[in-house]
Amino acid sequence: MNNPSRRQFLTLAAATAIAPTAPSFAKVGTDRILSMRNLHTGEHLDAAYWVRDDYLKSGLKQFNKLLRDHRANEITRMEPKLLDLVYQLKEKLNYNGEIEVISGYRSAKTNASLRARSKGVARKSYHMRGMAMDLRMPGVSLANLRQAAIGLQLGGVGYYPKSNFVHVDVGPVRRW
């Protein structure tokens, strides 16, 4: 484009402005597999949730169960974009181990109970909407995990070094 029209220029500028926030996978067309362990239940899952350029219902269902509210034994539909965020974190950090999950979904009752015991639990937590996860990756420092999550610019990132985990969610981009 030697002399782009105003419309072409604005279109290109808009595409460039949103590019950093759009999900980008280094291996387009590759199946997305996550290996996780729920620290509260001891359950392990090594499964694909994305196959042949689409979400795999059976894989999503398995992650919904793994990430359930273990206190109330309630399962909800986890936001697939949360799994995409975790997958991108794993890829960005070249991590091939098992991701340790401290918390996935929380029922309103569980969230209220945790909130009564801790100032660090949000009243309208994204955990209650299946849009958040507290995790760690053994062998990866929490500081590096936090920086990688912040760098993705795909949602909220909370840093809890005393409790040994990083919170990620697919809500608005923010950090604490």
Side-chain angles (χ1 to χ4, degrees):
M1 243 189 269
N2 285 343
N3 287 320
S5 69
R6 177 176 162 75
R7 177 174 285 174
Q8 289 171 321
F9 175 78
L10 291 173
T11 300
L12 181 61
T16 304
I18 64 168
T21 61
S24 63
F25 293 96
K27 302 172 188 173
V28 174
T30 302
D31 295 349
R32 297 179 201 155
I33 300 168
L34 290 170
S35 179
M36 293 184 182
R37 179 166 55 107
N38 184 315
L39 295 180
H40 293 284
T41 66
E43 295 167 304
H44 299 262
L45 179 59
D46 189 11
Y49 72 93
W50 173 274
V51 175
R52 291 185 212 96
D53 298 326
D54 200 6
Y55 291 108
L56 182 64
K57 286 182 183 180
S58 61
L60 292 174
K61 190 173 181 180
Q62 291 175 72
F63 282 104
N64 290 345
K65 183 179 180 203
L66 180 79
L67 298 169
R68 73 188 178 279
D69 179 339
H70 69 277
R71 292 169 183 90
N73 200 29
E74 282 184 34
I75 298 172
T76 197
R77 178 191 171 276
M78 297 300 291
E79 172 57 55
K81 290 182 189 324
L82 178 64
L83 297 177
D84 289 338
L85 185 158
V86 173
Y87 182 85
Q88 287 185 67
L89 263 178
K90 165 185 114 59
E91 291 293 297
K92 186 172 189 168
L93 294 164
N94 293 316
Y95 184 76
N96 293 313
E98 191 172 59
I99 296 161
E100 295 180 341
V101 177
I102 291 87
S103 184
Y105 170 65
R106 289 188 208 140
S107 66
K109 184 177 178 181
T110 294
N111 198 71
S113 174
L114 292 172
R115 187 168 161 71
R117 291 183 277 166
S118 172
K119 293 182 279 185
V121 177
R123 175 175 283 127
K124 294 182 179 183
S125 172
Y126 281 98
H127 286 279
M128 296 188 303
R129 296 167 62 183
M131 296 172 63
M133 193 182 309
D134 298 336
L135 56 84
R136 60 182 175 237
M137 296 179 180
V140 175
S141 75
L142 285 183
N144 286 345
L145 180 57
R146 174 185 183 236
Q147 282 309 116
I150 289 169
L152 290 176
Q153 294 288 298
L154 293 175
V157 179
Y159 185 54
Y160 298 91
K162 289 182 183 176
S163 299
N164 194 23
F165 70 84
V166 170
H167 165 99
V168 294
D169 67 53
V170 290
V173 175
R174 66 214 187 286
R175 61 180 156 174
W176 62 94

